[in-house]
Each structure stands twice: as C-alpha cells, then as structure tokens.
Amino acid sequence: GTDTLSLVSLCSPTVVELNHNLTSVIPESALLIIIGWILGGIIYGADKMQTFTLTPTVFFFYLLPQVILDAGYFMPNKLFFSNMGAILVYAVIGTCWNAATVGLGLWGCWLGGAMGDIDIGLLQFLLFGSLIAAVDPVAVIAVFEEVHVNEVLFIMVFGESLLNDGVTVVLFNVFDAFVSLGGAEIDAVEIIKGIISFFVVAFGGSLVGIIFALLISLLTRCTKNIQIIEPGFIFILGYLSYLTAEMLSLSAILSIVFCGICCQKYINANMDERSVTTVRYVMKVLANGSETIIFVFLGISAIDPAVWVWNTGFILLTLLFIFVFRFIGVFLLTWILNKYRLVPLEFIDQVVMSYGGLRGAVAYGLVAMLDENKFKEKNLMVSTTLIVVYFTVMLQGITMKPLVTWLKVKRAAVTELTLAEKIQNRTFDHMLVAIEDISGQIGHNYMRDKWHNFEERWLCWFLMKPSARKSRDYIFNIFHQLNLKDAMSYVKEGERRGSLAFVRNETKADVDFNKKFRASFSEIMPDIMADNMGPDHVPLSSILQDIVPSVCLDMHEQDLTMRESEDFNAHHLLQQHLYRGRKQHRHRYSRSHLETNRDENEVQEIFQRTMRSRLESFKSAKMGVAPAKKIQTKHQKKDKPQKMPNGNSSDKSKNHPYGDKDFEFSEGDCGSGGEAAGDLFPMRAYRVEAGIVNPAFMAEMDPMDNMQQIPHVALLPQTLNSFDT
Amino acid sequence: MYLSVLDSRQSLFCSSVSFEQIGILHKRFKQLSHNEDTLRRDDLNTIPDLSCNPIRTQIIEAFFDKRNFHQNGEGTVQEISFEEFLVVMSHFRPPALDMTEEQREIIRREKLRFLFNMHDTDNDGTITLEEYRHVVEELLSRSGALGKETAKGIADAAMLEVASISMGHMEPDEFYEGITFEHFLKILKDIEIETRMNIRFLNMDTTNLCK
C-alpha cells in the first residue's frame, strides 16, 4: 500500500526531469504536488476514500529528518555563522511576530463576524497562527533551487527556515497546553513558563545536536580499519540525535541541524575519500527521495472530501495576513538590523526575503497532529493549511524566478574566484584581525580569529585524525591542486608533442613510471591500484593505466628518495583532500546537484594558462619547434566513460589536434600492461633551461614530482576533457 | 591636538570618523607608545595578540610607510605621530550610507592603494614576482618549511593568472613585468572592498564633523 505508493512517487522526478524547460518555469515541488493530485484522484476513484494521507508520525519521523540532516551537512558554515545574528533575529522575533499578528488578526476578524459562525477561540487562533507562521525549509530549498540568488539572501531565508523550528515547537506546545487548560487558568506563571521553555527547548536541542556531532567526529577518528561502515554511522547517529531530542521534548530539527553543521568539517577530514563520497551521495538520495514523497503526499492528501471544510473568510484572510504581515515583519526587522550590519540588506533583497517566506509540509504535519476533540474546527484548519501550502509553493514558487529577474536581484556568483582574489581574501582576514588588535578593540574579526585559534589548537587535535590534520590549510590545498593540474598538463603536453618535445639527456631527468612508481605506489595506496570501480563504473586501474604510463621520467636516485617521502605524503594527502580545496567557496546549496569538481571554466583557464606558458618556455631555437597555437579540444564529458574501452569511438568533434587519442588510449596504445609503455612511448625528458621567456614560470623539478602521483579519478575525466577554445 | 588633526585632514575625516572614535584611538595610541608622542615599530611588535598573525610584519610596515600618509611621500619612517597613525587607521573606515558612486570609487581606490603599497615594498609601482612570492610566503609562514615551496608554486600560478587576465594572450617572447596598480584594480574589482575592508568599531555613531 503505502510502500508501493512511495515507490511510485519516487519515480515521478524522473518524469519531471525529462523536460528541463518545464522545471525551470515551474518548480519541481509544484509539479510533484500536481502529480500527487492525480494520484490521489486515482486512488480516491478506486477506493472511494482516501487511504493514503501524510500522517504526522510518518512525516516527522521518517521523512523530515533526512531532509534536515542534508541541510545541516551541506550548510556553508562560514556564511551561516557570520550572519547568525541576523538569522536568529528573523527566526525568533520574526516567527513570533508572524504568529502573533496572524493569530490576533484572525481573531479580530472572527469577532467582527467575517468568518461566520465557527466554534473557535482566541487561543485556538493563536495556535493556528503559530503553526502557519513558520517558514518551511523543504519548501524554501525546493523553490530557491531554481533561482540562484546571492548567497547572503539565500542563507538568510534558509537559515531562518531551519532555526525557527525552536520557536514553532515551543509556541505550538505552549498554546496546545493553554487550550487544554482552558482560558481561565492562564496567568503570568504559565506565560513565564512558556518563555523559559523556549530557551530550554532551543538551546537544549542545539546542545543535543552538538553532542552527537562530537560523538560522530570522535567515531570517525577511530574507524580507520572499518572504513566500510563509516557512512552508516553518520546516518545512524544523525537520526539518533533527532530521536533523542524528540524524546526529551526538545527541538529535534535544531538538534539534527546542529549535528550536521558541527560535524561536517571533522568527518570530511577524518573519513576516507570514498566514505565521504558515499555519505554525500546517500545524503542527497535520501533527502531528494523524502522531499519528493512529501510533496506528492501533500498533493494526495488534498483529494479527500472528508477533510475539506470551506470557509471563505477564514481562508482568504489567512492568506492575506500571512502575506502582508510577513512583508511588514521582514521590513521592520531589517530596518533595525541594518543599523548594526556592516553590509546592509538592500530593499530588493528584503522583498525577495518576504516573498520567499514559504509555508510547507511542516505546517501541515503540525496541523494534522491536532486533537479533533479539543479543536472542533480542525478540518477547517487542515483545509486552510493545505491551501496556504499550495498557494505559497505553487504560486509563489512559479513567480519567484520572474520576480527575481524583474527586480534584478543580485545573483549568485557563478565564476570561481581567481587565485589572486583568494589570496587577497586571506590577506584581508589577517589584516582586519591585525588592525583590530592594534586598535585594541574587540571586534567581529577578533572573535572570529580567537575562535579559529581555539578550534585549531584544541578541537582539531581532539576530533581529527593526526593524518588529517596536516593538510588542512586552505592555501596549502590550492598549491596541491595547482601541482595536480600542472602534472596533468605536462602529461597531456607530452602526449601531444610526441617524441620530439621532451628529449633531453643532460640531467637524466627521466622517471620510469612503471617500474619505480607503480610498485611503490601500490604499497602506499594499495586500495587505489586494486580493481576498484571508479565513479563511472570503469575499473580504476584501467583509467590510471591510461594516464600513467605515457610519461617516463627518471630522476636521480638521491633526488628521488629525498623527494619521495615528502612528496608522497603530500600527494597522498592531496589525494585524500581533492574535493576540499576547490569547494571552499561554493556556497550554493542545491538539493539535486552535488557540487563535484566540474568547474570547466576554472580548470580550462588554468590549463590553458599553464599550457601556454609551458609551451612558451619550451620554445627553443635549437629544437626548432614552434610553440603551439591555441590548444583546441572539445569533449563531451558524458562520452568519456564509453570511450574508455574503445578509444576512438563516438568522438563527435573531429577537428582536434589533441583528440581522444591522447588520453583515452585505444587498447593498442596503452596496452594491458606496463611493459608496452617502454616501447611505445619514448623517454620524455624535462627541459630546464631551454628558451625560458617567462620568468614567472620557472620550470622546476618540483612539478615533475607530481607526475608520480596518481590523480584522483573523479578529477581526471573532466579536467582532461573540458578544454575549449 | 584634535583640532589640528581635523584642520589638516578635514576632507579625509569628514565622512565617517567621529569625535569619540578619535578619542578612543588616541587613548590606545598613548597606551601603545607608553605615553610618548610618537610610536615605534617595537611598540607595535609587543602587542601579544599580533604575534600569531602571519602577516604582522607587513601590517606594521604599513604604518610606517610614508605612502600611506597621503602626503605624497615615499620611503619609511622610524616613528609616527598620532596624526599619521590616524591616517593609516582611516583606511579602514566604511563608506557612509549616503555616499555617491564617485565617492565610493575614491574610497575603493584608496583602500586598494593601501593594499598595493603593502605588497609593493620597493615602491616601483609594480608588484613583481618576488614581491608576490613574499606575500604568499608570509601567508603560509605558519606552515614551516613546506610553506616556502608551496608559496612559490602558488605565487607563480597567481601571477600567471593575473598576466592572462590583464594582458590577454601574450606572445612567446613577451615579458610580464609585474602587477601594476591598474591591473591590481582590475583583478580585484569583483571583491567589494569598500564593504569588506572595514573595521566595525569605526562604524559606530557616525556623526558628520564638517557640517
């Protein structure tokens, strides 16, 4: 029954994905709701009653946790915490304001007779207000997915939607208790108890989350030998944090959010690369799946005449109030906040923030939990909630993108920062801290720096594996990436040049890859060399073989051993952390797109740059080799996996000097073993002094060392193939 | 004391530094200089919190660099007065909310000039590869020996990037001298420096002194 339905609803995204044009106009969530309606209609037609609804238990215990864990785990921490003050203001004060105004507004209108004769009271209105007031994280993600607004704006709305759970839970429980007590019993003591319970619930929930984060981090620190079950722990413990908080009557959402936020850094550092990948993918799958099911069920639940009670006044007034009071609330709070912020929030951002206050499944879940006996008008509230959800998700969702475009909202920066910008950012941070120190003031930067130092000294020591601690520095990571790219560009260049380019005898800078490094590499990274399956289901070893054997460079024995240890460590670390450096500045949160290292522009730019300079520096009168013109290669990324086994097939673009042949060797070239390499590929030497024109790019021995490492597979196909004129 | 500062630097301070803040900074100045009228490098070196900052040498040098005093001077001095201290600090004031685009641009250039001067230590108007390497080295100075190698690699790559952005396609025998101030502006135009390079405390209570 329910299972089949869930499976069916999971298939709906695929249907939806088939037409991307459709989803760019109508957000996926809206389409899913429509599918839900259709399905609900079918079921109702078959059973004459609605057998499937979104029950609160299923929703709160089986569907919501993974969505929130996903949100926490992929949260851009730096952005989140630097805007924490503003986010908290919106989440706490904003939600209270919304709840109060909607509740009181509706009550006033009821007193005035706008809703006719319904059995309801002030407290019930307030309760309804509190559950309809909260901005919903699932809906926000779903709608903002398509609209890439600038990161500050996004984090405001998103952060608010996550943190307001603390308030919502408290208000809901408080008013529920008040309704049970009856109006007469409420006095100041009860109200004070309510306020205190807010602090307990919110901070208690966060604390539970943080404790579990510590647990997870410690656990991953010790799981070196049982890497295969690492991912499992993350999910189990994450879910446990949710359940524990729920059990203690604290805010479960806050708990799981902070669990995800706090542990992400440490588990990413401690766990093996493949575990990290597993966690990321599974997290996305679960979250996507849950979200899909949630929206479909939201649609299905509507096709049930039993719940529908129509009261024009109530419904229309609710819609009006939540819309209007949201705008008023946001503008008011922003006006206050802007006095204290360095970067004030602009008018247009505020409009989008107000418009983006979407309500969703959480509100529905809460309203479904109401007791019919206490709340005579429960069905009315359920109907209204459903209509509110549909209105916000569908109408506001569809119009969000045109609105954003029309208002010319600042969009997310698409291009990666240049290297110089990254360095300057670092410089800024240190500089600002220094100036604050010199001026003796304790400012924002000072606190941040102090926390940073504390964290580096104590937390990382406690929670991170020793090996993970070494290569954490951000700039260090940049260096490794550069070396990696350098290395690959050398290899590619070597292939392109053919036998002439790198011939060189004087310093015998030839490394015999196969003989020396294949062996030693196997010791250090046995798991890589084994028959593992790479991400595209191509055996890793074959991919590596294709790349590796083309370069044969011998080094002086002594140079080798000296560099070997240091560089192998460095390169092993590099291998472990290839995802990290590049992702530092990606603040875009997306439900369905995992940010892999596929930034064509960056890779391309650096490649071309490196290539150009290398070629220029290798130009030499002696050799009589003219520097290459611009390198032209265009590949379809998707073709790569199929091309691997048979090198020359399905190559769409024929006019490339670089062609597939260079990297995707046909069987003849690469051969199945190392022994072919020696014959087919001439020794490539490394020229140190030939015609170097650009001193900014001294050809050094160091980059050549990097040839020894085996580039991570995930990085490789895109890097090598995303070459454009 | 305050009046003379105001007179000679009116245009500079008109926008957003208040009387109170000058007072606060003056107190700090006195504290750092041990109640003397001038500040020396050693006085700044003794600030304990500063010792773990990787680029502290560059920052301290910036205080003694005559180019930052807005008097068209060059070279360095051994000690500075409160006035000069204040001028250097004023580089970190945020733009007032009611500024025009041109005024913002002026402030941007001023801040970027400060940064540029920090990197261009020999004052030849360009940041050469050596100077840039030095910058990156300092940033990595906490990483020990590995830092030097890394710094070279990164500086080289960054330089190349700047070259390709500023000069486009270069002929094989062209030589990239270094980053000029104009190139510097170009590279960093996307970083909103007027909002980033500010110290919050200078933002409190902006009373306009000149009106």
Side-chain angles (χ1 to χ4, degrees):
Chain A
T2 325
D3 303 323
T4 339
L5 198 63
S6 308
L7 287 172
V8 168
S9 57
L10 276 177
C11 297
S12 27
T14 42
V15 173
V16 159
E17 274 304 319
L18 289 176
N19 190 348
H20 187 65
N21 290 330
L22 190 61
T23 47
S24 60
V25 174
I26 306 180
E28 202 176 296
S29 44
L31 290 169
L32 287 170
I33 292 183
I34 295 175
I35 291 179
W37 287 341
I38 299 173
L39 276 175
I42 297 173
I43 296 171
Y44 187 75
D47 288 351
K48 291 299 173 229
M49 62 170 265
Q50 190 51 263
T51 35
F52 300 109
T53 49
L54 188 63
T55 54
T57 318
V58 166
F59 175 69
F60 280 112
F61 286 101
Y62 300 117
L63 292 177
L64 189 61
Q66 42 274 48
V67 176
I68 309 294
L69 183 61
D70 173 77
Y73 183 73
F74 287 102
M75 177 77 76
N77 275 357
K78 191 164 177 202
L79 195 61
F80 181 67
F81 283 110
S82 51
N83 287 304
M84 184 64 130
I87 293 176
L88 276 175
V89 166
Y90 287 119
V92 177
I93 303 180
T95 312
C96 288
W97 160 267
N98 281 337
T101 51
V102 170
L104 290 172
L106 285 175
W107 180 60
C109 292
W110 173 67
L111 284 180
M115 296 176 205
D117 195 17
I118 46 180
D119 182 6
I120 203 167
L122 168 65
L123 284 171
Q124 300 195 13
F125 274 121
L126 285 173
L127 179 66
F128 181 69
S130 68
L131 65 88
I132 203 91
V135 178
D136 184 76
V138 182
V140 163
I141 297 172
V143 169
F144 275 76
E145 171 90 2
E146 282 292 323
V147 187
H148 299 301
V149 294
N150 65 73
E151 52 193 30
V152 175
L153 178 55
F154 175 72
I155 203 74
M156 289 289 180
V157 185
F158 188 47
E160 181 197 340
S161 71
L162 285 174
L163 294 187
N164 64 21
D165 180 66
V167 182
T168 314
V169 161
V170 170
L171 285 176
F172 186 82
N173 288 329
V174 161
F175 285 125
D176 201 24
F178 281 2
V179 167
S180 311
L181 279 178
E185 306 283 330
I186 302 169
D187 54 2
V189 177
E190 298 294 327
I191 296 181
I192 292 179
K193 270 207 267 181
I195 296 178
I196 294 179
S197 73
F198 162 68
F199 286 103
V200 169
V201 162
F203 286 108
S206 316
L207 199 65
V208 170
I210 295 176
I211 293 176
F212 272 92
L214 283 173
L215 255 170
I216 297 181
S217 312
L218 276 175
L219 206 69
T220 50
R221 192 186 163 171
C222 313
T223 53
K224 185 161 173 245
N225 296 318
I226 38 169
Q227 280 167 355
I228 202 76
I229 58 174
E230 276 177 332
F233 275 130
I234 313 293
F235 291 101
I236 293 175
L237 284 173
Y239 192 48
L240 256 178
S241 75
Y242 187 85
L243 291 179
T244 312
E246 188 67 42
M247 185 181 74
L248 297 170
S249 301
L250 303 170
S251 167
I253 292 185
L254 280 182
S255 166
I256 205 171
V257 158
F258 277 100
C259 180
I261 286 179
C262 296
C263 76
Q264 48 166 267
K265 177 175 172 184
Y266 305 106
I267 60 180
N268 285 341
N270 282 342
M271 288 201 299
D272 183 62
E273 182 79 16
R274 286 156 300 167
S275 298
V276 174
T277 314
T278 311
V279 168
R280 292 172 69 209
Y281 274 98
V282 174
M283 196 81 85
K284 287 293 179 195
V285 165
L286 288 177
N288 258 313
S290 285
E291 198 185 296
T292 309
I293 298 178
I294 290 174
F295 281 114
V296 170
F297 266 85
L298 270 179
I300 294 179
S301 305
I303 315 295
D304 186 5
V307 281
W308 282 101
V309 176
W310 187 269
N311 183 322
T312 323
F314 192 87
I315 294 176
L316 287 179
L317 282 170
T318 311
L319 280 174
L320 179 71
F321 285 148
I322 57 169
F323 198 71
V324 166
F325 284 122
R326 167 87 183 157
F327 268 85
I328 297 177
V330 167
F331 276 85
L332 206 67
L333 288 173
T334 316
W335 178 71
I336 299 175
L337 275 174
N338 275 347
K339 295 191 195 241
Y340 297 101
R341 279 178 66 86
L342 261 181
V343 183
L345 283 162
E346 296 170 27
F347 174 76
I348 291 182
D349 286 345
Q350 293 171 45
V351 169
V352 177
M353 226 192 308
S354 318
Y355 200 69
L358 311 169
R359 273 67 173 179
V362 174
Y364 179 76
L366 285 172
V367 87
M369 270 183 3
L370 293 174
D371 184 358
E372 281 107 9
N373 302 321
K374 281 194 287 183
F375 295 88
K376 300 286 189 267
E377 297 293 338
K378 176 182 171 180
N379 283 336
L380 174 61
M381 293 193 200
V382 170
S383 319
T384 315
T385 310
L386 278 175
I387 295 195
V388 166
V389 170
Y390 295 148
F391 185 82
T392 56
V393 170
M394 298 179 86
L395 220 86
Q396 282 178 237
I398 295 176
T399 50
M400 179 72 83
K401 202 167 183 189
L403 184 77
V404 162
T405 323
W406 178 58
L407 287 178
K408 300 197 189 39
V409 174
K410 216 163 69 141
R411 308 298 277 269
V414 179
T415 52
E416 182 96 353
L417 294 181
T418 62
L419 204 50
E421 281 172 316
K422 286 182 191 171
I423 293 178
Q424 283 311 125
N425 277 340
R426 250 328 140 93
T427 316
F428 279 154
D429 289 341
H430 291 304
M431 191 168 64
L432 291 176
V433 173
I435 295 289
E436 280 190 2
D437 288 335
I438 290 177
S439 64
Q441 304 268 335
I442 295 186
H444 201 56
N445 295 294
Y446 178 83
M447 299 305 299
R448 192 166 38 97
D449 198 53
K450 277 277 164 287
W451 162 255
H452 210 63
N453 288 340
F454 166 74
E455 201 228 344
E456 263 185 47
R457 262 191 82 192
W458 297 103
L459 288 181
C460 291
W461 168 83
F462 185 49
L463 297 172
M464 267 200 212
K465 277 198 286 212
S467 54
R469 260 182 269 148
K470 276 188 212 139
S471 84
R472 266 179 308 109
D473 189 72
Y474 168 66
I475 296 203
F476 204 64
N477 284 328
I478 298 182
F479 172 63
H480 283 306
Q481 288 168 58
L482 288 178
N483 278 340
L484 179 60
K485 282 171 206 142
D486 243 9
M488 292 190 287
S489 69
Y490 258 115
V491 174
K492 199 160 184 182
E493 168 61 11
E495 287 318 302
R496 203 197 74 80
R497 283 297 185 114
S499 55
L500 296 177
F502 293 79
V503 175
R504 181 206 196 306
N505 284 322
E506 295 99 271
T507 62
K508 292 185 62 157
D510 294 329
V511 165
D512 186 345
F513 234 98
N514 305 311
K515 292 189 208 125
K516 230 174 178 33
F517 291 105
R518 188 63 70 83
S520 31
F521 238 73
S522 329
E523 291 152 24
I524 292 183
M525 287 187 259
D527 36 7
I528 299 294
M529 299 305 286
D531 253 356
N532 283 332
M533 297 304 264
D536 294 317
H537 296 292
V538 179
L540 259 176
S541 40
S542 77
I543 298 177
L544 296 171
Q545 274 175 19
D546 294 340
I547 307 306
V548 159
S550 62
V551 183
C552 292
L553 306 157
D554 281 335
M555 297 273 187
H556 279 298
E557 284 293 90
Q558 65 196 74
D559 290 347
L560 192 59
T561 39
M562 182 189 70
R563 287 198 177 87
E564 204 178 353
S565 47
E566 185 186 292
D567 280 358
F568 270 140
N569 277 339
H571 299 314
H572 184 53
L573 289 173
L574 165 62
Q575 233 240 289
Q576 281 283 348
H577 301 284
L578 270 177
Y579 286 131
R580 228 154 323 272
R582 197 91 74 95
K583 284 182 66 60
Q584 296 272 354
H585 278 278
R586 274 316 149 83
H587 295 302
R588 219 180 337 149
Y589 177 82
S590 164
R591 169 49 47 76
S592 51
H593 299 288
L594 256 190
E595 299 282 354
T596 54
N597 298 322
R598 280 169 189 257
D599 190 352
E600 289 195 56
N601 292 335
E602 174 188 38
V603 161
Q604 186 177 308
E605 185 194 25
I606 295 183
F607 232 133
Q608 280 190 323
R609 194 182 359 111
T610 317
M611 206 40 83
R612 208 181 303 134
S613 63
R614 293 281 188 203
L615 295 175
E616 285 150 16
S617 62
F618 284 111
K619 167 191 165 189
S620 152
K622 267 193 280 182
M623 295 275 306
V625 175
K629 303 233 175 15
K630 279 203 170 180
I631 299 130
Q632 311 193 12
T633 316
K634 189 172 175 107
H635 274 293
Q636 304 284 345
K637 273 191 279 216
K638 294 193 194 87
D639 293 343
K640 165 96 177 162
Q642 293 107 24
K643 281 192 207 143
M644 285 310 291
N646 22 307
N648 297 324
S649 64
S650 60
D651 177 11
K652 294 191 177 118
S653 23
K654 297 286 181 200
N655 55 335
H656 312 293
Y658 250 92
D660 298 348
K661 298 196 180 65
D662 294 333
F663 274 113
E664 295 146 47
F665 306 125
S666 47
E667 271 92 12
D669 283 348
C670 125
S672 42
E675 63 278 358
D679 303 326
L680 292 175
F681 298 107
M683 306 298 253
R684 303 191 194 273
Y686 173 48
R687 181 168 282 276
V688 172
E689 73 247 2
I692 290 176
V693 178
N694 194 344
F697 216 65
M698 286 295 295
E700 293 163 278
M701 294 307 252
D702 272 353
M704 294 318 284
D705 295 346
N706 306 326
M707 302 303 271
Q708 305 159 12
Q709 66 171 330
I710 297 177
H712 192 272
V713 168
L715 191 53
L716 213 43
Q718 294 88 303
T719 320
L720 300 175
N721 295 313
S722 54
F723 226 8
D724 215 0
T725 354
Chain B
M1 177 69 208
Y2 299 160
L3 282 177
S4 67
V5 163
L6 291 177
D7 288 341
S8 55
R9 292 280 174 270
Q10 264 196 352
S11 59
L12 203 59
F13 290 136
C14 252
S15 26
S16 49
V17 180
S18 79
F19 212 59
E20 291 165 61
Q21 285 145 37
I22 299 183
I24 294 173
L25 287 172
H26 186 68
K27 252 194 270 181
R28 178 66 174 168
F29 183 83
K30 282 293 189 214
Q31 188 190 24
L32 286 173
S33 65
H34 309 293
N35 269 326
E36 292 176 31
D37 283 330
T38 56
L39 197 65
R40 281 185 205 80
R41 280 190 185 78
D42 292 327
D43 298 325
L44 288 177
N45 269 325
T46 53
I47 300 176
D49 288 325
L50 214 49
S51 57
C52 48
N53 196 318
I55 57 170
R56 77 173 170 289
T57 339
Q58 287 186 38
I59 303 271
I60 294 178
E61 271 312 306
F63 274 88
F64 294 88
D65 187 341
K66 273 166 118 180
R67 288 173 294 172
N68 290 331
F69 297 160
H70 289 251
Q71 279 170 333
N72 297 324
E74 280 185 13
T76 58
V77 290
Q78 289 306 315
E79 44 186 43
I80 53 171
S81 66
F82 178 61
E83 199 177 310
E84 285 146 353
F85 180 73
L86 213 49
V87 173
V88 174
M89 280 297 200
S90 73
H91 283 99
F92 292 89
R93 74 191 188 286
L97 291 171
D98 53 354
M99 277 192 172
T100 65
E101 198 52 47
E102 298 157 2
Q103 285 174 316
R104 277 183 185 265
E105 188 57 35
I106 295 176
I107 291 196
R108 261 181 64 85
R109 284 187 81 100
E110 199 182 283
K111 292 186 198 266
L112 281 171
R113 189 84 225 179
F114 181 82
L115 266 180
F116 190 80
N117 290 342
M118 219 165 76
H119 298 332
D120 180 22
T121 41
D122 60 1
N123 197 21
D124 60 354
T126 55
I127 303 178
T128 59
L129 183 66
E130 277 311 311
E131 288 167 341
Y132 206 67
R133 274 187 189 157
H134 184 68
V135 171
V136 183
E137 252 172 52
E138 292 240 311
L139 274 179
L140 288 170
S141 53
R142 284 197 270 190
S143 309
L146 215 46
K148 264 198 175 283
E149 292 295 308
T150 316
K152 239 173 12 163
I154 295 177
D156 291 348
M159 215 40 169
L160 259 179
E161 204 177 54
V162 171
S164 64
I165 294 176
S166 316
M167 315 250 293
H169 177 65
M170 288 197 329
E171 293 309 311
D173 44 4
E174 259 187 83
F175 188 76
Y176 186 59
E177 302 268 349
I179 311 178
T180 62
F181 188 54
E182 291 309 318
H183 290 168
F184 197 66
L185 283 178
K186 199 163 146 193
I187 310 163
L188 297 182
K189 71 171 157 46
D190 287 329
I191 299 183
E192 293 182 336
I193 193 171
E194 65 268 20
T195 46
R196 288 203 55 177
M197 195 167 134
N198 299 317
I199 301 290
R200 200 182 276 274
F201 75 91
L202 281 173
N203 196 22
M204 295 186 307
D205 230 58
T206 57
T207 47
N208 220 318
L209 294 163
C210 300
K211 284 194 185 147

